[in-house]
Amino acid sequence: MTHPADRSTPADDPADAPAAAGPGTLVRPGGLSAAEVAQRVAQGQVNDVPVRSSRSVPEIVRANVFTRFNAIIGVLFAVILVVGPIQDGLFGLVIVANTAIGVIQEVRAKRTLDSLALIGEARPEVRRDGQVAQIAVGEIVLDDTVLLGIGDKVIVDGEVTEADGLEIDESLLTGEPDPVHKRPGDAVMSGSFVVAGSGAFTATKVGREAYAAQLAEEASRFTLVKSELRTGIDTILRFITYLLVPTAIGLVISQWSVEHNDWREAVRRTVAGIVPMVPEGLVLLTSVAFAIGVVRLGRKQCLVQELPAIEGLARVDTVCLDKTGTLTEGGMDVQELRALDGDAQPGRLQQVLGTLAGADARPNPSMRAILDAYGTAAPEDDRTGDRTGDGDSTADGGGWRVLEAVPFSSARKWSGAQLREPDGAEAGWLLGAPDVLLPTGHPALTAVDELGAQGLRVLLLGRTTVPLDAPDPAKGLAPLALLVLRQRLRPDAAATLRYFEEQRVQAKVISGDSAVSVGAVAASLELPGADHPLDARTLPTEPEALADTAERTTVFGRVTPQQKRELVGALQSRGHHVAMTGDGVNDVLALKDADIGVAMGSGSEATRAVAQIVLLNDSFATLPSVVAEGRRVIGNIERVASLFLVKTVYSVLLALLVVFTQVPYPFLPRHSTVLSALTIGIPAFFLALAPNNERARPGFVRRVLRLAIPGGVIAGTATFVAYVLARGDHATDLKADTSVATLTLFIVAIWVLAIVARPYTWWRLLLIATMCGAFALVLVVPWLSDFFQLKLVGIRDPWTGVAVAVVAGLLLEVVWRFVRRSLDEE
């Protein structure tokens, strides 16, 4: 592959013949030699800053093992190992199992991210030994000659040595939206992007000295940044920690006073009271759910660069779509060449178009379509000559000659070339947007609007005698033809838009193309509101008026990059959670400011660097999968959180009741283990991974506590009542009393599980039935009942416990009815 910036450099130019391009910079036309590269690598002058897409394996292990709650459980487990027996330490094995699951799932997610990050990793082109080669970012060395083209990201800091209409967007560094024209000797900064032209620069800062290391690492890191879900869970856990300490102290004192003759029994029952208070699996299961989501999306070629992006897209209520590359495929086809001048010869026009397309160093989709259609119309020699603008580029003995070429710029909205025509005349030829090149009211614009209304892209070809470097080369332009291009709609676009409509997510199309053309494309996809497109040149500048317009309008055309950013901000000012999709450099600002940025994998490096989600297969149809995955995570973690917090509430309440009544704690650690495993641990794991398409809503903490607090109070009260009633008959048979309390708590807890698991599916009913069957086996199988010290004595006490549990379950149903009604009214 030959880079456009390299075409002016013969392959046999000596690498050791430097020439000054600017103050303090040496230009090596052939680039560094292999020996010079090796010397710089040996001196450490290489861009070897590690860019990781995920945490390292040791970091993952530390994050999952060394937690506050694991420390509490670990200490309690060590205490049980001292006082015994071992079955009272089973809760320690549960922690080990849960932590192992977390480590394994996150390592899987890390490997998925690492492999996908390599797919989307930039591979800049450099010139070495007179040859152009693609290398990894980490292989760039000081003084390397790095080549640039449209959409390329500037990887390291440097100084321009070659420029052919080179324009660089430095908005991510300076905040200024206008591209900066670069000439030899000008500085370029890593983190900026090429928006027009081509060129080359010499690397002056590499590694940690350049901005690139920080920007690239931030763009691809596997981060656990704050989200509403994580913030809510952290808030809950912080309050639990405050409540746990005084409750645990009171429990220790009470059990030592009750069991003063058997300190080992006092220790065991104290541990049994403290362990259930710790929702040890909640944070872990949240991380596992996120990690599994990353793996699932990775299999669909969707790179999630920040974990909470899964949650964020599920909360989105407005999706802003860039038409090109999102609703339409990158490719285009020439549909018609319509002459505007009766004397214009079609063959001559086709030759001009073929020459213009061939003169473009980095052809965009429109130019590629022209090249495919009319490339053979231009002489072969004309299309292979030098197009750097340094004089006469071809001499084919009477064909078209490119004297100077001006690449397409989104700011100008046209490209052109100064051509020497076969008859020897010289003229400028421009190809671009008709409404920019033609004066208002020109008759040709009527045909342009008619074609645009059909969803077609129209370019104007014209001839001018005004030099291309004049302030207004279009002045005096003679329009000769309209070139009609047909965009290729993505086959999955219509179905994806219907999905968003069904999910009450509003889709807005924001494009730089003409409003009529964009509206026609959107209307062909049956997007509501597409029949009233708005030209962004008429957008109000006042913030409130802009926000009103942004809310009521669906399709925007002729939108500048800065206006895209302003539209996203206007929607956010009205409380909307906005996602932005795009694939071009002009989408970077909007992608960066949106709540969630989604980039196409084949798009520019600029968009991939700032987006939280990258669709590596360019499939717009992947977005519903991301939304569904986010809703699965949020909805299921909410269910799981209710289970864990019900356990925490009833554990704290039981501990307080025991402290105030001075009775032995109802359970041993083994009882808490079996109850937690069958009513929370095992069911929560399956519920957290189940399908869930409920729309994400704010107020996570409030909704979880609405069920957890009354549910925990009812469960704890019912258990203590059954326990006290059982102790009234045989106060000395603590094993029988504990068995009744265990039975009562299991029934109430399984009732809570049955409420949380709604709406029912066959596997959820099977899950509940399996947990009930497992508990029944613990009661009836002799060696299991002996192992867990569970023995139901008589008939009255067990059935009293069942009756108390049923009453508690009915109270739970009443509470749930009120909770459900309040949630539906929100």
Side-chain angles (χ1 to χ4, degrees):
M1 173 180 174
T2 302
H3 195 281
D6 192 48
R7 292 176 179 170
S8 61
T9 304
D12 56 354
D13 279 355
D16 56 354
T25 301
L26 294 180
V27 179
R28 293 173 172 80
L32 295 176
S33 65
E36 290 172 322
V37 172
Q39 179 185 5
R40 284 161 174 76
V41 171
Q43 294 174 348
Q45 298 172 330
V46 62
N47 193 50
D48 61 350
V49 177
V51 179
R52 298 173 294 135
S53 63
S54 60
R55 296 187 291 180
S56 65
V57 173
E59 288 175 332
I60 291 173
V61 173
R62 285 196 299 270
N64 283 277
V65 173
F66 299 106
T67 65
R68 178 192 312 169
F69 294 104
N70 277 9
I72 296 173
I73 298 299
V75 170
L76 297 176
F77 178 68
V79 170
I80 290 297
L81 290 181
V82 174
V83 301
I86 190 60
Q87 53 263 47
D88 280 328
L90 290 177
F91 63 86
L93 300 180
V94 173
I95 298 301
V96 172
N98 285 342
T99 304
I101 291 172
V103 171
I104 292 170
Q105 292 296 348
E106 197 164 339
V107 168
R108 287 181 62 194
K110 167 189 164 56
R111 291 175 178 171
T112 300
L113 278 175
D114 287 347
S115 61
L116 292 179
L118 290 176
I119 298 175
E121 186 182 53
R123 291 187 64 82
E125 291 183 335
V126 299
R127 189 185 299 139
R128 292 177 179 175
D129 285 323
Q131 301 294 325
V132 174
Q134 277 193 337
I135 64 173
V137 172
E139 295 176 4
I140 295 177
V141 299
L142 193 67
D143 298 326
D144 248 332
T145 300
V146 185
L147 309 182
L148 294 173
I150 295 177
D152 286 348
K153 178 181 178 181
V154 180
I155 301 298
V156 295
D157 299 349
E159 192 167 304
V160 176
T161 55
E162 304 168 26
D164 180 15
L166 183 64
E167 295 181 22
I168 290 185
D169 186 337
E170 298 179 343
S171 57
L172 293 181
L173 303 175
T174 65
E176 295 295 332
D178 297 329
V180 180
H181 186 72
K182 295 291 184 179
R183 298 177 177 83
D186 291 345
V188 290
M189 301 292 287
S190 53
S192 55
F193 309 98
V194 180
V195 294
S198 60
F201 71 93
T202 297
T204 57
K205 290 183 179 179
V206 296
R208 298 187 183 276
E209 294 183 2
Y211 288 131
Q214 301 170 12
L215 293 176
E217 189 169 2
E218 287 300 319
S220 60
R221 184 180 300 178
F222 185 85
T223 55
L224 296 177
V225 299
K226 286 187 176 181
S227 66
E228 182 178 347
L229 192 62
R230 290 190 176 278
T231 301
I233 291 175
D234 289 342
T235 301
I236 293 170
L237 296 181
R238 186 169 63 253
F239 282 109
I240 289 174
T241 303
Y242 297 152
L243 190 61
L244 186 147
V245 174
T247 306
I249 293 174
L251 189 62
V252 170
I253 296 173
S254 69
Q255 293 308 291
W256 276 91
S257 63
V258 172
E259 299 286 352
H260 57 273
N261 293 327
D262 188 351
W263 68 272
R264 293 178 181 272
E265 184 71 9
V267 169
R268 284 194 291 269
R269 293 194 177 265
T270 299
V271 171
I274 297 174
V275 169
M277 298 181 196
V278 183
E280 71 282 345
L282 183 55
V283 176
L284 185 62
L285 211 53
T286 303
S287 297
V288 170
F290 271 129
I292 292 177
V294 170
V295 173
R296 286 178 172 176
L297 292 175
R299 291 170 181 164
K300 297 181 180 180
Q301 293 297 293
C302 176
L303 173 59
V304 180
Q305 302 199 116
E306 296 183 27
L307 279 183
I310 301 177
E311 174 192 349
L313 193 55
R315 297 189 186 278
V316 160
D317 59 17
T318 305
V319 177
C320 296
L321 310 168
D322 177 50
K323 175 180 68 66
T324 305
T326 303
L327 300 180
T328 60
E329 292 183 335
M332 304 185 75
D333 297 311
V334 174
Q335 177 167 302
E336 180 187 0
L337 179 60
R338 182 180 298 185
L340 297 176
D341 186 341
D343 296 333
Q345 301 174 0
R348 174 183 171 87
L349 296 177
Q350 291 176 6
Q351 284 190 336
V352 171
L353 287 169
T355 303
L356 289 176
D360 197 326
R362 291 289 290 266
N364 58 25
S366 298
M367 282 300 188
R368 282 195 293 269
I370 295 171
L371 204 56
D372 291 341
Y374 304 127
T376 56
E380 181 67 22
D381 288 344
D382 291 339
R383 297 196 314 277
T384 58
D386 177 23
R387 286 135 193 156
T388 62
D390 297 329
D392 209 346
S393 62
T394 53
D396 64 333
W400 296 86
R401 297 183 182 182
V402 180
L403 303 178
E404 180 184 0
V406 178
F408 176 80
S409 165
S410 57
R412 291 189 302 266
K413 296 193 180 298
W414 57 262
S415 63
Q418 189 78 17
L419 302 181
R420 178 172 295 166
E421 301 172 357
D423 59 4
E426 291 185 12
W429 291 80
L430 303 183
L431 182 67
D435 56 343
V436 173
L437 295 176
L438 294 177
T440 304
H442 193 284
L445 292 177
T446 303
V448 171
D449 291 340
E450 293 174 352
L451 293 168
Q454 303 171 33
L456 301 171
R457 183 180 180 88
V458 184
L459 299 177
L460 175 75
L461 175 66
R463 184 176 184 272
T464 180
T465 56
V466 177
L468 296 182
D469 56 359
D472 185 11
K475 185 177 181 180
L477 182 75
L480 297 180
L482 293 178
L483 181 69
V484 184
L485 301 170
R486 182 180 65 254
Q487 295 177 318
R488 301 170 188 167
L489 292 177
R490 289 186 178 275
D492 48 26
T496 304
L497 290 177
R498 282 197 300 272
Y499 170 84
F500 283 127
E501 184 180 359
E502 293 168 357
Q503 299 299 320
R504 294 180 294 170
V505 176
Q506 189 174 11
K508 295 183 181 292
V509 182
I510 302 177
S511 175
D513 286 351
S514 70
V516 176
S517 175
V518 178
V521 171
S524 68
L525 296 171
E526 300 180 354
L527 179 65
D531 51 342
H532 294 95
L534 178 68
D535 191 314
R537 288 175 291 189
T538 65
L539 279 174
T541 56
E542 198 273 328
E544 282 298 317
L546 179 62
D548 290 336
T549 304
E551 280 199 305
R552 67 171 180 263
T553 307
T554 301
V555 176
F556 299 86
R558 286 285 179 250
V559 185
T560 65
Q562 182 62 26
Q563 284 179 318
K564 287 188 178 185
R565 184 183 202 178
E566 292 170 353
L567 285 171
V568 169
L571 291 167
Q572 290 171 326
S573 71
R574 292 298 174 86
H576 293 287
H577 202 77
V578 182
M580 177 73 196
T581 70
D583 66 343
V585 176
N586 60 326
D587 301 319
V588 169
L589 292 174
L591 283 169
K592 187 171 182 288
D593 284 0
D595 296 290
I596 296 294
V598 182
M600 298 295 171
S602 64
S604 69
E605 173 64 18
T607 58
R608 295 199 302 269
V610 300
Q612 287 88 14
I613 295 174
V614 181
L615 306 179
L616 293 172
N617 59 358
D618 289 347
S619 176
F620 183 43
T622 307
L623 280 182
S625 299
V626 181
V627 173
E629 196 63 37
R631 293 184 175 182
R632 181 193 67 78
V633 170
I634 295 173
N636 290 339
I637 292 303
E638 193 166 310
R639 294 176 186 270
V640 169
S642 296
L643 287 177
F644 279 102
L645 296 181
V646 164
K647 182 191 74 166
T648 298
V649 172
Y650 73 61
S651 299
V652 171
L653 178 59
L654 281 174
L656 293 175
L657 291 173
V658 164
V659 169
F660 293 139
T661 58
Q662 293 293 298
V663 296
Y665 191 78
F667 308 115
L668 290 171
R670 69 194 77 176
H671 303 133
S672 299
T673 299
V674 72
L675 286 169
S676 296
L678 297 181
T679 64
I680 299 171
I682 297 174
F685 180 78
F686 287 99
L687 290 176
L689 305 182
N692 190 328
N693 204 35
E694 297 178 9
R695 184 176 180 179
R697 297 174 295 170
F700 164 75
V701 174
R702 185 178 67 254
R703 286 195 306 276
V704 168
L705 295 182
R706 281 182 184 177
L707 178 62
I709 292 178
V713 170
I714 291 172
T717 303
T719 302
F720 193 74
V721 168
Y723 177 61
V724 170
L725 291 176
R727 282 186 60 79
D729 283 348
H730 34 74
T732 58
D733 193 350
L734 190 54
K735 180 177 179 181
D737 302 338
T738 294
S739 299
V740 172
T742 304
L743 174 64
T744 305
L745 183 54
F746 175 82
I747 295 174
V748 179
I750 210 73
W751 204 309
V752 173
L753 173 62
I755 290 174
V756 169
R758 296 170 185 170
Y760 294 131
T761 59
W762 68 267
W763 68 265
R764 287 177 179 168
L765 292 173
L766 179 61
L767 177 64
I768 296 170
T770 302
M771 297 301 100
C772 293
F775 186 72
L777 288 176
V778 171
L779 292 178
V780 301
V781 175
W783 70 269
L784 285 175
S785 61
D786 291 341
F787 183 83
F788 287 104
Q789 283 195 17
L790 288 175
K791 182 180 180 181
L792 296 174
V793 178
I795 296 177
R796 193 184 72 172
D797 287 342
W799 281 106
T800 299
V802 171
V804 171
V806 170
V807 172
L810 295 176
L811 285 175
L812 284 171
E813 292 292 342
V814 173
V815 170
W816 174 245
R817 186 178 298 274
F818 279 105
V819 170
R820 193 67 185 174
R821 184 180 302 170
S822 64
L823 293 177
D824 292 340
E825 291 174 355
E826 289 183 352

